[in-house]
Structure formats: structure tokens, C-alpha cells
Amino acid sequence: MAAPRQIRIAIIGGGIGGASLANALMRIPKIHIDIYEAGPTFSERGAAVGLSLNAIWALEHVLPNKEDARRLLAAAGGVPMNSTRIMLGCGPQAGTMIADLGGTGDDDQGGIVHRGSLLRELLAPIPSELLHANKKLVEIQEIELDGHPQVQVTFGDGTTDIFDAVFGADGVHSMVRRFVLQDLDPQKYAASPGGFWDCRVLVPYNQARDAIGPQHFEQDRQYAWCGDGAFIMHDILESRTMVQCVISAVEGRAAEGLPDGCRKRPLTRELLSKTLHTWLDGPVAKAVIELMLNQPKPQAYSQFEHKSTPTYYRNNICLVGDAAHSTTPWQGAGAGQAFEDAMILGALFREIDSVDQVMAVFKAYDQVRRPRCQQVIDSSRGMGLTFCAKDAELAILDPAAFKARLSGRWDFIFAIDFDQYKQDAKEKLADELAR
């Protein structure tokens, strides 16, 4: 009896989500993957990404061995954070510590890593013949071949190929997402503004330390400064050679005259001074403003999110990462959720034997991942309001009030047993296969 043929899978999108999924699937003998990136190179936009301890645990389940996750992050120049120190950034008590969130040892720490460096290391073990750049997706068609459902994809260069399954890992404004949701009003479920904007800059370590103050660099920490309508963050990356500085604020799109769909605008001294006008006598705002403006063509970017998603799959086409569940960054969980997607899909694909079982995998994945990701999206939006002191429960800029509102807000992210989570997914797959 002939052995079942390999399941051919296309991953559309070569960012962190797609590369994480590729790592989870490529070591399964029954699966062959190809990764397609629209750009001329595989690259990530943005500066740094924070990985909570929970995200690192998920990455450990994606890679072959637990130790591989720490080795990968070290190779990417990741810097373990002793803690995230949350501070009050403005008002009479500016400079007061609200909370210090962190582990107790080297194996109990999250970290900060440059997005591009993280992607480089996730792609490193993937054979080069599986990586295809300059492949912009222009069309998806569901077809049947030899009695099996197939997916034909067409790229901007005119080439086509046929796969047993296709993953959309093509980001917040995903074309694959529009196809998956075509019968469910894709515009209704398109990414929309999350209510905040942010700007970022990478600064040499010594320059940032001198500007912000050496007292904030005595240990490797992420600092989060909360206050009136805005938020400032700084953290260390690239093997302690660079510092990321971030300014975020509540966005008034109508007041700012921003048209629908507008994601960026020039970042000016006027905008920053107006946004942080109550912060300017505080400990860090003036310094971070100067650092932020000392870069070519600084931009402010609106934070977009998927407020709801009715399904993550359509037949043999499935969404992962930001294409499925783009979120604002306030919970620090975006990359971790992409790792969890890859972890669950890797566990499920190990349980099947044929192409006819792929849709059952996607059904089980949807059942376990979509509720958790939606909780992250909703919680992150609320967290942003708290950090920017626009939470209805925060009547005054009081450290104790902030601490009370922050208490327990990350618990649901960490309160998960990944071994049990994978087992739950496998049980749902078994139920689907038994139907």
C-alpha cells in the first residue's frame, strides 16, 4: 500500500507569524511548506518587540527543544529584562513607581528583541529553497483536483501554484483574510483604528542613557511611563547596544482630521508638545521628545486592530498571526499569540494522515485560538486606556489607583498550561474527525 503523499502547504507572508508557523510545520515529515513574501526580501517593519515569559514558553513549544528558544533569542541580540517597571510620568507625583513586574531569575525573565533580528533567526533554519521573495499574492481560487479540495494561488509575476492548504500570514491588512471572510462582509471585519497612535526610535545605548538618565539604566529593565492621555516606554535591545523609545497617545481621529484608513502622518514637535503638554515638567518627556525627533522623517502611526473575527478559516484556507487577530500593543502579547498559533497548528498537524483531514485541523484551531485571541485584543485596548489615564476608574493621577487598575490584567495570558492547551486542541480535532 502506497504511503500517503505529503500535504503541500503555502504560507503567504514571511514575517514573524509566517516564519513561526514554518518552524512548527517543517519538521513534520508528512508536510511540505513553501513561504511566499511580497517584498524583495524577508523583513519586518518596526523596531523592537517585547516577549513576555509566556511568549518565550510558547516559542519553546514551537522549536524542537526547549533550549532552542533561548539560543534563538540570544542570537537575535535579545536582552532579558529584569522587570517591567511602571512609573508615573506626569503630575505632582511624577517619577513615582507604580509597579515592578518581573521574574526572579535568569529562567524567569521576558526579553526585548529587534523585530528584524528575531525574524532573521526564525528564518535561519528554514531551507532557502522554501523561501520565495517578490511573490505578491493577487488571486486565490478554490478548486478540486483528483477528488480533493485544493487552493490555487496566483502571484503578481504571473506564476501560479496549487496547494492542499494555504495560510494567510500576510499581516493586518491581509488579502487572504478578505478571501476567507468574503461571504461574511469582509469590510465589516477589516482592521480599524484601535484608538491610539505611537511613534518609535532606536537610539545608541549611551546616547539614550545620557539623555534619559543613568539611574534608569542601572539594570536591564523596560520602563513604562503612564500619564495624562499618553504613555512613554524605553527598553534595551541588540545585545545592549541600542535602546528603543516609544511615545504613544490616545488618538482623536476626527479632531485631527484623519481620513478613514489613514495609518500615518508626520511627527512634529508641535504634535508631541501638545500631546505631552502636562508631562513636560516630568522626569523623561522632554528627553524622549528630543530623541524621537532626531531621526529622518519621523512618523506617527495609528494602531489598528481586528475588533472581531467570525472565523479564522474557510475550507482549506486559514489565518494566523496579525492576519487573524491583529491587536494594539498594550498587553505586550502580539508576538506571543503568533507563537501560540504555530504551537497549536504544529500539534494538530502531527495528528493527521491525509489532505482530507486538513479542514478538521482548521476547525479545531479556530475553536481553541479565536476566543483567546479575542480576549487579548479586547483586554489590550482597555489596558491602553488605563496606561493613558483615560480609564473611567482613574479619576486622578494616583500611583495607588494605577496599581489597583493594573492588578491582575495579565493573569489570563499567563494562566495557561500549554501542554493541556495542546491536548484540548487535539481532543477537538478528534471530535471533528469522528463526525
Side-chain angles (χ1 to χ4, degrees):
M1 183 176 179
R5 69 174 179 82
Q6 280 190 308
I7 300 171
R8 292 198 67 216
I9 293 176
I11 299 173
I12 308 297
I16 289 172
S20 300
L21 179 61
N23 273 273
L25 298 182
M26 70 179 186
R27 297 176 181 89
I28 304 175
K30 71 191 77 165
I31 291 177
H32 175 86
I33 63 167
D34 286 280
I35 311 176
Y36 297 92
E37 168 57 36
T41 61
F42 285 72
S43 61
E44 271 283 345
R45 292 182 180 178
V49 59
L51 299 180
S52 68
L53 185 58
N54 189 76
I56 295 172
W57 290 339
L59 184 58
E60 290 174 354
H61 284 260
V62 171
L63 301 177
N65 300 297
K66 179 178 179 180
E67 297 77 15
D68 291 339
R70 295 287 181 179
R71 281 197 289 265
L72 183 150
L73 294 176
V79 178
M81 291 291 107
N82 286 283
S83 70
T84 294
R85 183 160 286 184
I86 303 174
M87 310 287 289
L88 192 59
C90 64
Q93 299 188 67
T96 302
M97 186 174 72
I98 296 168
D100 200 33
L101 310 176
T104 57
D106 291 343
D107 294 328
D108 195 20
Q109 296 174 338
I112 308 296
V113 63
H114 192 284
R115 298 183 71 90
S117 300
L118 174 61
L119 177 61
R120 180 193 69 229
E121 296 305 321
L122 286 169
L123 292 172
I126 302 173
S128 59
E129 63 268 21
L130 306 182
L131 303 174
H132 312 282
N134 279 317
K135 291 289 186 178
K136 180 178 174 58
L137 180 69
V138 296
E139 186 178 26
I140 306 171
Q141 291 180 287
E142 293 177 297
I143 63 175
E144 187 171 300
L145 196 63
D146 298 329
H148 300 288
Q150 304 277 279
V151 184
Q152 179 173 292
V153 294
T154 302
F155 300 101
D157 61 2
T159 59
T160 65
D161 208 338
I162 296 174
F163 296 91
D164 298 304
V166 169
F167 281 104
D170 48 338
V172 58
H173 298 293
S174 163
M175 179 180 175
V176 180
R177 180 185 176 90
R178 292 196 296 273
F179 186 89
V180 167
L181 300 177
Q182 63 181 291
D183 297 331
L184 300 168
D185 191 353
Q187 191 58 40
K188 176 181 177 181
Y189 299 108
S192 60
F196 310 91
W197 61 265
D198 62 43
C199 53
R200 299 163 187 262
V201 67
L202 286 181
V203 182
Y205 180 93
N206 290 339
Q207 181 184 352
R209 182 191 59 196
D210 292 345
I212 297 171
Q215 69 273 24
H216 301 308
F217 292 83
E218 292 173 356
Q219 292 193 51
D220 295 333
R221 300 187 195 279
Q222 182 180 68
Y223 275 84
W225 300 83
C226 306
D228 182 19
F231 173 84
I232 292 174
M233 185 176 74
H234 52 89
D235 43 37
I236 305 164
L237 64 153
E238 292 291 81
S239 302
R240 299 179 180 82
T241 63
M242 302 296 288
V243 172
Q244 173 187 235
C245 297
V246 179
I247 298 175
S248 303
V250 174
E251 184 173 68
R253 294 183 69 84
E256 296 178 45
L258 295 175
D260 291 344
C262 177
R263 292 205 68 189
K264 69 177 182 178
R265 60 274 201 193
L267 183 70
T268 64
R269 184 176 298 277
E270 179 184 10
L271 174 60
L272 291 177
S273 297
K274 181 180 178 181
T275 299
L276 296 170
H277 70 278
T278 60
W279 290 61
L280 298 179
D281 292 331
V284 296
K286 286 183 178 178
V288 177
I289 287 174
E290 295 305 318
L291 293 172
M292 193 65 61
L293 294 173
N294 187 27
Q295 60 177 313
K297 297 181 179 179
Q299 299 283 324
Y301 292 87
S302 297
Q303 297 175 5
F304 273 53
E305 65 181 3
H306 291 128
K307 288 184 171 57
S308 65
T309 305
T311 181
Y312 284 172
Y313 76 99
R314 171 191 168 105
N315 300 323
N316 281 22
I317 305 169
C318 188
L319 305 173
V320 297
D322 282 349
H325 43 73
S326 186
T327 180
T328 56
W330 301 97
Q331 203 90 50
Q337 292 309 299
F339 295 159
E340 289 185 26
D341 290 347
M343 173 188 74
I344 291 297
L345 286 163
L348 292 174
F349 269 100
R350 284 182 172 85
E351 299 295 306
I352 67 169
D353 299 311
S354 76
V355 297
D356 297 322
Q357 297 170 316
V358 166
M359 191 160 63
V361 166
F362 292 168
K363 288 181 178 180
Y365 162 79
D366 181 75
Q367 291 174 52
V368 298
R369 292 298 296 140
R370 192 155 48 88
R372 177 165 168 81
C373 295
Q374 189 61 54
Q375 187 177 7
V376 169
I377 293 167
D378 295 338
S379 179
S380 180
R381 189 186 317 115
M383 185 73 79
L385 293 173
T386 298
F387 277 137
C388 294
K390 294 302 181 182
D391 187 321
E393 300 295 324
L394 287 171
I396 57 174
L397 295 176
D398 175 64
F402 269 105
K403 186 172 184 178
R405 288 297 293 154
L406 292 171
S407 178
R409 298 285 282 274
W410 287 270
D411 288 356
F412 79 95
I413 293 177
F414 285 86
I416 185 168
D417 179 329
F418 282 143
D419 289 321
Q420 184 60 52
Y421 193 36
K422 291 193 292 185
Q423 184 59 36
D424 292 344
K426 291 176 185 178
E427 290 175 3
K428 292 187 182 299
L429 173 61
D431 290 342
E432 292 296 333
L433 294 174
R435 293 182 192 278

